[in-house]
């Protein structure tokens, strides 16, 4: 069973390396970085405690929010998904991404306290 | 969005404003003088929306025209007082306001226990108008805010219905919601309450949500989040949004309608909406702690898992996917098992609890009767199932949303009268869809439909004769006209009373105004010390604080049940026990409402049993409800009433000197018109209180609490001369012994 799981994962990684365009790989690297930031924040909270809670929440939600927004951007600029997004061109997707980040970070800065 | 063959039908779908004859030709017949039918269409839409706004605004002005521009009822007085504080002291003073003139001696943290949206909106409008040198008083801004926002609600309902169906249905929905009584009841001019702006925020948030699901653009989703933030700041009913949207996503997943647009819309909405909603101090950390918000979090996690699985499924073969799937499911099961939490009560059942006296005593929390449905919605409640049926028959992502909205709103409206307000918008939308479909079918141009390019999807196209079309159209128009008449009548008679000022009409039609409340509150304001403390039942707390500007003990916020129970105990005990409580609370004045002279049925004696029940909840040893009833179980104020009732403070205060008053020659003195009984205890003497003020029709009575005397007068007991020894006189009568 574990054999097949490893083989599945290695095949998946191989296919990922070969078939995804560079733009999406860049976004995936960014996603990994955000994920690590979020994990470190959570570990810190578990080890040191939740005070002040609003600061922890704002930092953690900032990580999750950036992750989700980057995933949305990745979905929207993926050329395979073009027929799902007739009104959203890749440029518009990026502009929306910037706008969403502005709103998210304004709120996060207000919430950090 | 509207094809040319439908233009005639959908524009004339708003049959109330144009005659049926000119309909079918408006697309084709006017083409001689028209180069841009779309231009005329948008002009017509704009005019209709403007008229709807005007109609909504005007029909809410009955109370202002009949009486004056005044804040109504109870809760709006607190909102007005807070807005006044905001406009005079600034935003940060308002956000950090600790009110020590309410809930004496506890005080109230207003900044953290209020939804600031209403106050900030009114304050902002006042600020902008004054900046432009349009000097409007803050009271006028507050009084007219709700009618202005009703127009905005009509516009956002138009936008939402246009996304769901077509433009004609949108215009109909806007017109319906502008005048429907269910919404007017909470948004008349003078009713300065959260619902006035919250329904606008609700409809606008739903419109932006539907738009973001349809387009999958992050821009619309962020707009939805910002609108959701405004809704969270405006009303506690935002919980409805944060449960309906996840329910919508969940049902779409179950119906196998998952799409990437849905994923983008909900994930972005949840995260950005979460952090935005926590900015309101009153909401705080509730979105990640309470059970009401857990559905949203659960659906978020589920959606991530589902989307990830979809992504893998696209990349791997079936067998590979299966092996990974089993691994994933076992991991997930382990995580769920480890984080099993105690099941918590369904959130909204809390509001329906009938066992807590203070929740049960509010008249708005009673279950809805059939009469209320028809009274508030008229024919819309009959046509809205038809609209629901059309939506379900012709299903797509947005119509699933409106179907879920309708079903949940109907359930909640059946539980509590107050929640009729959340049912009203969806009823307007679905009825508009029903009417629009009917008009489209019967008023559509038959010539264009004889060689249809596409068949109308769900009813067979038959050439209905001119007569059937005419009859159906006339019937529909009659229904709509009766609806308009009914709405105006209901608004005028039922929902336009300021309740601060009472009016009665004599048989010659002239009006008798009873302004006792304001008379008494202004007496308090002008004749008592600035720091005097007034004790009354919690119903009047906000009005006393707003109009009389005096410190109160309990008010409509009802956040501290023990404090209210203490006041209830003081009202229900005899005078000496009540005096002890009043001394401990530093009470200077006691205010009660008495309706016996004019037959006003909302007075404190009628509410007395609730005072007893609430007091009994906290002090069961001292107060027993059964003591206040006769041995036969009746509640009577006449001679046969229970002695505990006849000697309690509330009774004494209500009927002090009433026994001397004879209202007319047919009834004996001391005849209580509200209870229709002659009172039992006619010569009442008060030891620790003295009467300070009674209003013109005895509606409001204010008593001053006397300070304790320096020396307590001893109670004199009759001297008991006990004969100890019998002395017989040794004096002998001289005449006997001579």
């Amino acid at each position: 069973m574990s054999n097949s799981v490893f083989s599945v994962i290695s095949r998946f990684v191989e296919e990922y390396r070969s078939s995804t365009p560079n733009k999406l790989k860049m976004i995936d690297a960014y996603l990994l970085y955000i994920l690590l930031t979020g994990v470190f924040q959570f570990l810190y909270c578990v080890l040191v405690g939740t005070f002040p809670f609003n600061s922890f929440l704002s930092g953690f939600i900032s990580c999750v929010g950036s992750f989700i927004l980057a995933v949305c951007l990745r979905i929207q600029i993926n050329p395979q998904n073009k027929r799902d997004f007739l009104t959203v061109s890749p440029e518009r997707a990026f502009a929306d991404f910037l706008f969403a980040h502005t709103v998210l970070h304004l709120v996060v800065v207000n919430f950090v306290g | 969005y509207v094809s040319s063959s439908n233009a005639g039908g959908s524009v004339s779908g708003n049959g109330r404003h144009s005659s049926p004859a000119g309909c079918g030709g408006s697309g084709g017949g006017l083409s001689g003088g028209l180069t841009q039918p779309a231009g005329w269409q948008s002009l017509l839409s704009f005019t209709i929306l403007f008229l709807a706004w005007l109609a909504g605004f005007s029909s809410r002005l009955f109370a202002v025209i009949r009486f004056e521009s005044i804040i109504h009822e109870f809760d709006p007085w607190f909102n007005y007082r807070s807005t006044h504080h905001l406009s005079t002291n600034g935003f940060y003073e308002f956000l950090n306001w600790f009110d020590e003139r309410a809930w004496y001696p506890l005080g109230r943290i207003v900044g953290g226990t209020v939804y600031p949206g209403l106050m900030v909106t009114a304050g902002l409008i006042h600020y902008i108008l004054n900046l432009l040198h349009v000097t409007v008083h803050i009271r006028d801004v507050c009084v007219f805010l709700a009618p202005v926002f009703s127009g905005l609600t009509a516009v956002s309902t138009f936008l939402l219905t246009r996304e769901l169906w077509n433009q004609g249905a949108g215009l109909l929905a806007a017109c319906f919601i502008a005048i429907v009584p269910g919404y007017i009841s909470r948004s008349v001019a003078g009713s300065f309450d959260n619902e006035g702006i919250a329904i606008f925020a609700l409809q606008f948030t739903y419109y932006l949500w539907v738009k973001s699901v349809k387009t999958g653009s992050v821009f619309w989703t962020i707009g939805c989040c910002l609108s959701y933030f405004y809704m969270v700041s405006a009303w506690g009913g935002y919980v409805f949004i944060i449960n309906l949207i996840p329910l919508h996503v969940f049902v779409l997943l179950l119906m196998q309608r998952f799409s990437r647009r849905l994923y983008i819309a909900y994930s972005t909405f949840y995260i950005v909406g979460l952090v935005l909603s926590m900015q309101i101090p009153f909401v705080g950390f509730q979105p990640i702690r309470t059970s009401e918000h857990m559905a949203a979090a659960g659906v978020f996690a589920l959606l991530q898992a589902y989307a990830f699985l979809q992504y893998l499924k696209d990349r791997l073969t079936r067998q590979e996917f299966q092996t990974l799937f089993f691994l994933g499911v076992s991991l997930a099961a382990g995580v769920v098992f480890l984080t099993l939490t105690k099941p918590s009560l369904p959130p909204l059942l809390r509001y329906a609890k009938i066992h807590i006296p203070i929740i049960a005593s509010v008249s708005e929390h009673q279950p809805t009767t059939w009469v209320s449905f028809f009274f508030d919605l008229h024919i819309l409640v009959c046509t809205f199932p038809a609209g629901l049926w059309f939506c379900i028959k012709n299903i797509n992502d947005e119509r699933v949303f409106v179907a879920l909205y309708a079903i949940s709103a109907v359930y909640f409206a059946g539980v509590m009268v107050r929640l009729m307000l959340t049912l009203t918008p969806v009823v307007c939308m679905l009825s508009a869809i029903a009417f629009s479909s009917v008009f489209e079918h019967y008023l559509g141009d038959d010539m264009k439909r004889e060689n249809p390019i596409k068949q109308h999807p769900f009813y067979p196209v038959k050439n209905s004769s001119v007569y059937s079309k005419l009859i159906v159209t006339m019937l529909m128009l009659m229904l709509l006209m009766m609806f308009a008449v009914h709405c105006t009548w209901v608004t005028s008679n039922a929902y336009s009373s300021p309740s601060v000022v009472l009016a009665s009409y004599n048989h010659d039609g002239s009006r008798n105004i009873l302004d006792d409340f304001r008379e008494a509150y202004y007496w308090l304001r002008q004749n008592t010390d600035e720091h005097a403390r007034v004790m009354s039942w919690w119903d009047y707390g906000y009005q006393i604080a707003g109009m009389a500007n005096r410190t109160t003990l309990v008010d409509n916020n009802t956040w501290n049940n023990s404090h209210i129970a203490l006041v209830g105990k003081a009202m229900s005990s005899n005078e000496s026990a009540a005096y002890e409580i009043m001394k401990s609370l530093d009470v200077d004045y006691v205010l009660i409402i008495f309706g016996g002279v004019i037959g006003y049925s909302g007075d404190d004696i009628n509410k007395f049993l609730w005072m007893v029940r609430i007091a009994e909840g906290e002090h069961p040893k001292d107060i027993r409800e059964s003591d206040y009833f006769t041995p036969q179980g009746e509640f009577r104020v006449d001679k046969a009433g229970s002695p505990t009732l006849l000697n309690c403070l509330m009774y004494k205060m209500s009927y002090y000197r009433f026994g001397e008053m004879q209202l007319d020659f047919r009834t004996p003195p001391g005849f209580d018109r509200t209870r229709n009984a002659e009172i039992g205890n006619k010569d009442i003497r008060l030891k620790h209180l003295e009467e300070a003020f009674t209003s013109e029709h005895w509606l409001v009575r204010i008593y001053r609490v006397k300070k304790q005397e320096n020396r307590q007068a001893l109670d004199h007991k009759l001297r008991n001369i006990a004969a100890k020894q019998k002395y017989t006189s040794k004096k002998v009568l001289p005449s006997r012994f001579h």
Side-chain angles (χ1 to χ4, degrees):
Chain A
M1 177 67 168
S2 57
N3 229 1
S4 57
V5 170
F6 278 137
S7 67
V8 164
I9 292 180
S10 59
R11 198 192 79 86
F12 174 70
V13 169
E14 195 49 56
E15 199 221 333
Y16 173 78
R17 263 202 213 134
S18 56
S19 67
T20 41
N22 271 341
K23 251 197 225 172
L24 297 183
K25 278 193 194 161
M26 240 182 3
I27 297 184
D28 288 337
Y30 172 68
L31 284 175
L32 183 66
Y33 157 70
I34 296 282
L35 187 69
L36 287 175
T37 317
V39 166
F40 284 142
Q41 281 194 350
F42 193 70
L43 276 178
Y44 176 85
C45 172
V46 164
L47 289 173
V48 180
T50 58
F51 183 78
F53 195 47
N54 59 317
S55 309
F56 161 67
L57 263 186
S58 97
F60 191 66
I61 288 180
S62 160
C63 283
V64 178
S66 307
F67 187 86
I68 294 286
L69 286 173
V71 168
C72 294
L73 179 67
R74 186 187 195 279
I75 292 175
Q76 282 176 337
I77 65 176
N78 194 347
Q80 291 172 342
N81 295 338
K82 216 160 169 192
R83 51 190 161 75
D84 277 342
F85 299 103
L86 296 169
T87 58
V88 184
S89 64
E91 290 78 21
R92 160 98 189 249
F94 190 63
D96 289 346
F97 175 77
L98 292 178
F99 173 58
H101 263 285
T102 317
V103 173
L104 177 68
H105 285 292
L106 278 174
V107 185
V108 159
V109 165
N110 182 43
F111 200 35
V112 151
Chain B
Y1 33 74
V2 183
S3 63
S4 60
S5 65
N6 272 343
S10 60
V11 165
S12 66
N14 203 6
R16 286 191 299 128
H17 292 270
S18 61
S19 68
C23 63
S26 73
L30 291 168
S31 60
L34 272 178
T35 47
Q36 289 167 319
W40 280 101
Q41 194 173 50
S42 47
L43 178 68
L44 205 59
S45 303
F46 179 77
T47 314
I48 290 169
L49 283 177
F50 177 71
L51 286 175
W53 193 323
L54 203 62
F57 185 86
S58 320
S59 75
R60 285 164 168 82
L61 293 183
F62 278 106
V64 174
I65 295 172
R66 286 178 186 161
F67 300 96
E68 62 187 271
S69 156
I70 189 180
I71 305 279
H72 296 184
E73 303 256 314
F74 303 106
D75 280 355
W77 278 101
F78 171 71
N79 296 331
Y80 171 61
R81 187 164 158 252
S82 315
T83 315
H84 188 76
H85 193 263
L86 168 66
S87 64
T88 45
N89 298 357
F91 179 64
Y92 285 106
E93 280 299 321
F94 168 71
L95 215 54
N96 296 319
W97 186 23
F98 179 78
D99 187 17
E100 68 270 350
R101 288 173 79 87
W103 293 90
Y104 186 87
L106 306 164
R108 178 184 173 180
I109 309 170
V110 177
T113 58
V114 88
Y115 284 105
L118 181 67
M119 296 80 171
V120 170
T121 311
L124 195 66
I125 292 177
H126 175 250
Y127 175 71
I128 291 175
L129 284 177
N130 277 31
L131 206 63
L132 298 171
H133 291 289
V134 180
T135 42
V136 186
H137 191 266
I138 186 74
R139 190 198 67 232
D140 290 318
V141 173
C142 295
V143 166
F144 291 104
L145 189 79
V148 169
F149 269 75
S150 75
L152 283 173
T153 309
V155 171
S156 44
T157 309
F158 160 72
L159 293 169
L160 178 56
T161 316
R162 192 182 62 178
E163 290 304 315
L164 290 172
W165 200 257
N166 64 23
Q167 187 142 349
L171 291 170
L172 264 177
C175 296
F176 285 157
I177 202 164
I179 59 172
V180 72
Y183 178 37
I184 286 193
S185 63
R186 304 292 300 195
S187 67
V188 278
S191 176
F192 180 56
D193 213 352
N194 301 64
E195 287 89 348
I197 57 169
I199 299 298
F200 159 64
L202 185 85
Q203 292 290 89
F204 198 59
T205 310
Y206 284 151
Y207 161 65
L208 291 172
W209 167 250
V210 165
K211 197 79 184 172
S212 59
V213 168
K214 267 173 119 171
T215 60
S217 151
V218 173
F219 171 73
W220 287 109
T221 315
I222 296 293
C224 183
C225 296
L226 290 172
S227 177
Y228 173 65
F229 171 60
Y230 183 56
M231 177 73 186
V232 172
S233 76
W235 196 31
Y238 76 90
V239 180
F240 186 52
I241 299 188
I242 201 62
N243 280 302
L244 185 64
I245 290 184
L247 181 68
H248 177 222
V249 172
F250 184 64
V251 169
L252 284 180
L253 286 183
L254 286 181
M255 287 169 73
Q256 305 201 321
R257 284 179 159 268
F258 173 80
S259 67
R260 291 189 179 84
R261 290 171 285 119
L262 181 69
Y263 172 78
I264 289 178
Y266 185 66
S267 312
T268 316
F269 171 76
Y270 178 68
I271 286 296
V272 182
L274 179 73
V275 71
L276 275 169
S277 64
M278 291 201 278
Q279 304 308 304
I280 308 289
F282 192 25
V283 173
F285 298 128
Q286 279 178 42
I288 52 169
R289 280 194 181 149
T290 59
S291 54
E292 292 146 342
H293 300 86
M294 285 302 121
V299 170
F300 177 70
L302 180 68
L303 192 66
Q304 303 304 312
Y306 196 98
F308 186 60
L309 288 176
Q310 284 286 96
Y311 174 73
L312 286 182
K313 206 155 77 156
D314 287 338
R315 314 290 293 245
L316 305 170
T317 66
R318 193 181 171 77
Q319 277 160 325
E320 293 164 334
F321 182 67
Q322 266 180 346
T323 47
L324 274 185
F325 186 69
F326 283 132
L327 184 68
V329 165
S330 43
L331 275 176
V335 167
V336 166
F337 184 71
L338 285 173
T339 60
L340 252 179
T341 50
K342 214 168 46 146
S344 40
L345 263 180
L348 278 141
L349 278 186
R350 206 172 64 210
Y351 298 112
K353 251 197 188 135
I354 52 170
H355 301 296
I356 304 176
I358 203 152
I359 294 182
S361 69
V362 182
S363 63
E364 292 174 320
H365 293 188
Q366 306 309 317
T368 327
T369 56
W370 279 109
V371 179
S372 312
F373 278 105
F374 190 76
F375 193 67
D376 278 345
L377 300 170
H378 202 242
I379 46 154
L380 298 186
V381 77
C382 312
T383 51
F384 117 91
L388 186 61
W389 166 247
F390 283 141
C391 275
I392 292 179
K393 201 98 198 296
N394 238 21
I395 202 80
N396 63 22
D397 289 349
E398 308 80 80
R399 292 177 194 158
V400 171
F401 175 72
V402 81
L404 288 171
Y405 183 11
I407 294 169
S408 51
V410 166
Y411 170 68
F412 289 126
V415 169
M416 258 213 267
V417 172
R418 189 176 180 178
L419 296 177
M420 271 290 288
L421 182 67
T422 51
L423 177 66
T424 309
V426 70
V427 160
C428 290
M429 291 197 294
L430 290 175
S431 306
I433 289 176
F435 272 104
S436 174
S437 309
V438 170
F439 279 128
E440 237 178 74
H441 189 242
Y442 283 96
L443 292 178
D445 201 343
D446 263 346
M447 300 296 289
K448 291 211 175 97
R449 258 198 277 142
E450 268 189 22
N451 307 315
I453 299 162
K454 60 171 175 76
Q455 280 279 337
H456 216 281
F458 45 92
Y459 18 65
V461 176
K462 54 183 175 27
N463 293 335
S464 14
S465 70
V466 184
Y467 291 116
S468 71
K469 279 171 43 169
L470 204 61
I471 289 173
V472 170
T473 316
M474 296 303 285
L475 281 176
M476 289 287 138
L477 285 179
M478 265 174 56
L479 278 180
L480 290 176
M481 280 191 266
M482 288 200 295
F483 172 69
V485 169
H486 171 89
C487 290
T488 321
W489 177 84
V490 166
T491 311
S492 163
N493 282 310
Y495 291 138
S496 297
S497 133
S499 40
V500 184
V501 179
L502 304 172
S504 66
Y505 294 87
N506 302 326
H507 36 252
D508 59 351
S510 64
R511 196 168 62 157
N512 220 1
I513 296 218
L514 298 152
D515 212 359
D516 286 45
F517 291 105
R518 290 198 295 174
E519 188 192 340
Y521 295 139
Y522 273 83
W523 182 91
L524 260 185
R525 193 189 187 109
Q526 289 168 339
N527 292 296
T528 59
D529 180 65
E530 207 194 324
H531 298 286
R533 290 160 287 272
V534 180
M535 178 171 97
S536 71
W537 193 233
W538 60 261
D539 287 8
Y540 316 109
Y542 281 157
Q543 280 185 344
I544 295 174
M547 283 193 261
N549 197 22
R550 291 289 171 265
T551 311
T552 51
L553 254 58
V554 290
D555 63 26
N556 309 58
N557 191 29
T558 65
W559 67 268
N560 191 332
N561 199 34
S562 314
H563 212 55
I564 296 180
L566 211 56
V567 170
K569 185 176 173 202
M571 298 291 196
S572 352
S573 325
N574 60 39
E575 204 186 335
S576 319
Y579 184 63
E580 293 303 312
I581 298 177
M582 290 194 285
K583 247 194 330 181
S584 72
L585 291 173
D586 288 343
V587 176
D588 293 315
Y589 291 90
V590 184
L591 185 147
I592 61 157
I593 306 290
F594 171 58
V597 172
I598 57 167
Y600 178 63
S601 59
D603 67 352
D604 280 355
I605 293 278
N606 275 357
K607 291 182 192 161
F608 183 61
L609 280 176
W610 285 112
M611 298 187 200
V612 171
R613 280 174 200 143
I614 294 173
E616 190 182 356
E618 294 281 325
H619 308 273
K621 292 197 186 74
D622 303 319
I623 312 279
R624 275 168 298 271
E625 194 185 336
S626 45
D627 288 346
Y628 297 85
F629 290 99
T630 62
Q632 293 83 27
E634 291 174 308
F635 181 76
R636 297 176 69 149
V637 295
D638 53 13
K639 268 205 257 301
S642 113
T644 329
L645 176 65
L646 263 53
N647 284 314
C648 74
L649 186 68
M650 175 55 73
Y651 187 94
K652 280 184 162 180
M653 286 196 296
S654 294
Y655 295 120
Y656 183 66
R657 287 193 308 117
F658 188 58
E660 303 152 22
M661 191 174 186
Q662 186 164 25
L663 295 167
D664 63 46
F665 60 90
R666 288 169 294 184
T667 54
F671 186 76
D672 182 347
R673 273 203 184 137
T674 319
R675 261 72 49 183
N676 279 325
E678 191 184 338
I679 61 170
N681 203 355
K682 282 196 191 171
D683 64 339
I684 293 172
R685 256 168 250 203
L686 291 172
K687 189 170 157 210
H688 299 288
L689 300 172
E690 61 179 1
E691 189 182 2
F693 180 76
T694 298
S695 63
E696 189 185 337
H697 300 98
W698 290 50
L699 257 186
V700 185
R701 309 195 69 180
I702 303 179
Y703 291 84
R704 188 178 299 115
V705 176
K706 290 203 273 206
K707 293 274 175 289
Q708 236 179 343
E709 290 163 12
N710 277 335
R711 235 161 40 138
Q712 296 282 19
L714 290 171
D715 282 332
H716 290 281
K717 281 192 301 188
L718 290 171
R719 286 171 63 196
N720 218 350
I721 307 166
K724 291 187 188 131
Q725 266 180 319
K726 263 200 168 273
Y727 287 106
T728 6
S729 174
K730 287 204 169 84
K731 274 191 193 163
V732 175
L733 281 170
S735 56
R736 264 252 186 122
F737 289 94
H738 278 309

